[in-house]
Amino acid sequence: MATDKRINFWRRNPKVPGSVQPVYGAQHPPLDPRLRRTYHKDTKPKVNNLKSKKASSFHEFARSTNDAWDIDDAEDEDFLGTPAPASSSLHSTSKQNQQQQQHQVGDTENRMPHSLAPLTTERLQDVQEEERDCRHINGKVVKSNSEAHLSSSSVHSTLQKQQSLPVRPIIPLVARISDQNASGAPPMMVREKSRLDKFKQLLASPNTDLEELRKHSWSGIPREVRPVTWRLLSGYLPANKERRELVLQRKREEYFGFIEQYYHSRTDEHHKDTYRQIHIDIPRTNPLIPLFQQPVVQEVFERILFIWAIRHPASGYVQGINDLVTPFFVVFLSEFVTEDVENFEVAELPLDTQRNIEADSFWCMSKLLDGIQDNYTFAQPGIQNKVKALEELVSRIDEDIHNHFKKYEVEYLQFAFRWMNNLLMRELPLRCTIRLWDTYQAEAEGFSHFHLYVCAAFLIEWRKEILSMVDFQGLLMLLQNLPTIHWGNEEVGLLLAEAYRLKYMFADAPSHYKR
């Protein structure tokens, strides 16, 4: 009874001092234990189908997730409680567990969907196997090759929670970096295998046909060849295969020459403010992904950003540039990692490998920023112009949304500034950003020009939710916290297709683009 009162108290008082508050952006969603839900192959979820039914308003979306932090306080007790008994105790207490299971089934019989079958011994064994293989235990990400085992009591507690929770499809968590569709299906299919062979054939030729490589990269690059493909498409590597090793060696030595020449000046009076801001921003980069909380990784990011700022005094370091390093770092790290990248200990790699990843990330990020540097110069004129262009474009393609913003006095700069400054990285999970950048690298002026049409398509994607908001605060809350946590390759592919359609219609039609 006391526990119920305590849970209800926190649900009624979400803003009590010390309570966890939601953070804006797709990279900072509530960690929902229900995301670990699994099903039999013949079981079809009947409710909360994210693909077929979206929240009609942000308030409905919020209500559907407002208990993400307190779905069951017992989970914390399981994690912090007494040590669990040995696995052999499961057999000795099977009779007691059977009685508890029957009681639980009786209590939840009216709440459970009809499609869920009663708990059986076979089902218990299945769940134990699934929990042993699960990569997320007690809300923490573990390596895919770990030997994590759950005790009999924690298995039973998990079964009770799963029975009482709503049915939801298997979906990747926001901290997952690997390519994955929202349905949870593995990315490598038969068609992907043939695409991979085509990429390998192009990359193995003495002089890579960059136009052909861009053509195939537009719809996504296979993970195995993404590192070398990104180096080629960004202009970091030459098309001639024989020259690549020499270029890599020269550019990597040049980068570490910059480190020796400039990095010691980070404590100088002229540069200490820049370094201080970088040092503050780095821990905020993807805080839910363990990879980016490792000291060795944060030191790499500090060096990359400081050297870039010193070499580009017209703009210097601007908040948001720190996000732009992460896709390159993850992609180049994946070249040496076979397990989950998000949980890999970078310090385990040889020092030369760490240095190569750092140098390649610096040069590719520099190539990207060379094309959009006016986004970060004084007063950020590039972003101002792009936001204005977005407003004009939306007024043409969806006048209802445009008039809705005007009615409630919502300025495009209030939400689209971050879209342009961070290239939608705060709105999408990192795995989606990597897939998006495959196309950006393949497009001519992808980061500077095509991104405008992606932002327009992204805004129109939420048309129903936007028009359902009837106040200024509700609109901004929605636009700053769009529910993309479950997005994968499929959603990004549809977004890019719509962006291409808009570009085809408006990019070369100035009379249609402007009033």
Side-chain angles (χ1 to χ4, degrees):
M1 188 67 179
T3 303
D4 293 339
K5 289 183 178 179
R6 180 163 60 88
I7 293 176
N8 290 331
F9 169 79
W10 284 103
R11 287 179 176 169
R12 290 195 306 268
N13 299 273
K15 295 186 178 180
V16 170
S19 64
V20 181
Q21 298 297 323
V23 183
Y24 296 148
Q27 297 177 4
H28 310 272
L31 292 178
D32 191 341
R34 292 174 292 182
L35 303 184
R36 297 179 295 176
R37 182 68 181 164
T38 55
Y39 302 95
H40 289 300
K41 293 181 179 179
D42 58 346
T43 303
K44 298 181 179 180
K46 295 186 177 181
V47 297
N48 283 355
N49 192 324
L50 298 176
K51 293 286 292 179
S52 61
K53 182 179 180 181
K54 296 180 180 178
S56 60
S57 70
F58 176 72
H59 296 296
E60 289 187 13
F61 170 78
R63 283 197 296 269
S64 68
T65 58
N66 64 359
D67 60 342
W69 297 105
D70 56 3
I71 189 66
D72 198 334
D73 290 348
E75 186 166 19
D76 293 335
E77 296 172 5
D78 292 341
F79 181 73
L80 299 173
T82 57
S87 58
S88 60
S89 64
L90 179 63
H91 178 71
S92 63
T93 60
S94 59
K95 185 174 182 180
Q96 180 181 358
N97 286 348
Q98 184 176 4
Q99 293 175 352
Q100 293 176 347
Q101 292 162 9
Q102 292 174 353
H103 177 69
Q104 174 68 18
V105 170
D107 289 343
T108 60
E109 184 175 4
N110 296 328
R111 289 180 294 161
M112 288 174 57
H114 183 68
S115 60
L116 289 179
L119 183 65
T120 62
T121 304
E122 181 181 358
R123 173 60 180 156
L124 177 60
Q125 294 174 351
D126 291 342
V127 172
Q128 287 180 275
E129 293 176 1
E130 292 168 358
E131 290 292 339
R132 280 195 294 267
D133 296 335
C134 185
R135 299 184 183 186
H136 301 82
I137 298 178
N138 287 337
K140 292 189 176 182
V141 182
V142 298
K143 296 182 180 179
S144 58
N145 62 347
S146 65
E147 299 290 336
H149 295 280
L150 297 179
S151 66
S152 59
S153 62
S154 63
V155 168
H156 182 64
S157 175
T158 302
L159 290 174
Q160 290 180 331
K161 294 172 190 173
Q162 288 182 344
Q163 285 180 330
S164 61
L165 291 175
V167 179
R168 300 183 71 171
I170 301 173
I171 44 181
L173 288 176
V174 68
R176 295 285 299 164
I177 297 176
S178 57
D179 297 341
Q180 198 164 3
N181 294 322
S183 61
M188 180 61 70
M189 305 295 181
V190 176
R191 185 177 65 87
E192 290 296 315
K193 179 66 168 59
S194 63
R195 293 186 71 247
L196 177 60
D197 293 339
K198 181 62 177 178
F199 272 91
K200 288 181 177 179
Q201 180 183 349
L202 284 170
L203 296 172
S205 61
N207 288 285
T208 301
D209 187 342
L210 294 181
E211 286 303 315
E212 192 71 12
L213 187 63
R214 288 190 179 94
K215 177 182 175 182
H216 287 82
S217 299
W218 205 98
S219 56
I221 303 172
R223 182 180 186 272
E224 294 82 354
V225 295
R226 183 175 277 139
V228 64
T229 303
W230 275 27
R231 292 187 185 103
L232 284 166
L233 294 181
S234 65
Y236 175 46
L237 279 186
N240 185 279
K241 188 175 181 180
E242 293 182 356
R243 295 180 52 219
R244 290 175 193 168
E245 283 302 321
L246 291 176
V247 171
L248 280 177
Q249 182 179 354
R250 176 172 60 83
K251 298 297 283 185
R252 288 166 178 170
E253 290 176 355
E254 185 178 357
Y255 168 72
F256 283 100
F258 294 153
I259 295 292
E260 294 178 4
Q261 183 178 357
Y262 298 118
Y263 196 60
H264 65 84
S265 66
R266 65 190 183 277
T267 57
D268 293 352
E269 186 69 25
H270 186 59
H271 299 307
K272 68 178 183 180
D273 288 341
T274 297
Y275 178 74
R276 176 181 175 276
Q277 188 60 58
I278 292 172
H279 189 73
I280 291 173
D281 288 348
I282 293 302
R284 301 172 181 170
T285 305
N286 296 285
L288 292 182
I289 301 178
L291 172 69
F292 300 112
Q293 304 310 308
Q294 299 176 26
V296 63
V297 175
Q298 294 184 356
E299 291 171 4
V300 166
F301 278 38
E302 286 182 359
R303 289 193 292 268
I304 289 175
L305 294 171
F306 183 78
I307 296 302
W308 189 88
I310 292 298
R311 286 178 47 80
H312 296 82
S315 61
Y317 173 74
V318 177
Q319 284 182 301
I321 294 180
N322 56 305
D323 288 332
L324 305 184
V325 187
T326 55
F328 292 113
F329 184 83
V330 168
V331 167
F332 296 144
L333 176 63
S334 68
E335 200 170 10
F336 306 96
V337 178
T338 56
E339 57 190 87
D340 294 338
V341 176
E342 59 266 28
N343 224 37
F344 181 76
E345 290 291 337
V346 176
E348 297 177 1
L349 288 173
L351 183 59
D352 286 344
T353 300
Q354 296 180 38
R355 289 166 60 90
N356 292 343
I357 294 172
E358 177 178 346
D360 293 354
S361 299
F362 169 81
W363 286 114
C364 287
M365 185 199 74
S366 297
K367 293 287 186 180
L368 184 161
L369 289 172
D370 286 347
I372 58 173
Q373 190 171 355
D374 62 340
N375 284 8
Y376 306 105
T377 54
F378 178 73
Q380 300 182 270
I383 292 180
Q384 302 279 350
N385 293 334
K386 289 182 178 69
V387 171
K388 182 63 177 175
L390 177 65
E391 181 177 357
E392 294 176 351
L393 181 58
V394 172
S395 70
R396 289 297 180 179
I397 62 179
D398 198 320
E399 193 171 1
D400 290 341
I401 288 181
H402 182 71
N403 291 336
H404 195 67
F405 286 159
K406 291 179 67 176
K407 179 180 179 180
Y408 294 104
E409 300 180 344
V410 174
E411 298 290 339
Y412 284 77
L413 200 63
Q414 291 168 333
F415 64 89
F417 181 90
R418 189 172 73 180
W419 296 10
M420 303 300 177
N421 189 62
N422 301 84
L423 298 177
L424 286 177
M425 287 195 62
R426 296 289 178 91
E427 324 311 318
L428 298 172
L430 183 54
R431 62 180 179 273
C432 295
T433 297
I434 292 173
R435 167 62 190 91
L436 188 67
W437 284 22
D438 287 346
T439 300
Y440 281 4
Q441 304 252 25
E443 273 279 332
E445 299 181 324
F447 293 99
S448 60
H449 185 61
F450 187 63
H451 180 67
L452 168 67
Y453 298 95
V454 172
C455 288
F458 186 66
L459 182 63
I460 304 305
E461 172 71 18
W462 311 102
R463 184 180 195 276
K464 181 180 178 182
E465 291 81 355
I466 289 171
L467 295 179
S468 68
M469 294 290 103
V470 292
D471 64 280
F472 174 84
Q473 183 179 0
L475 278 166
L476 278 190
M477 288 286 289
L478 171 66
L479 292 167
Q480 292 176 352
N481 194 27
L482 292 166
T484 60
I485 176 177
H486 309 304
W487 275 33
N489 290 346
E490 180 181 351
E491 289 77 8
V492 175
L494 293 174
L495 178 70
L496 289 167
E498 177 63 15
Y500 183 81
R501 185 184 72 85
L502 294 176
K503 179 189 174 186
Y504 183 81
M505 292 174 61
F506 293 97
D508 298 321
S511 60
H512 289 202
Y513 183 77
K514 296 181 180 179
R515 290 190 179 277

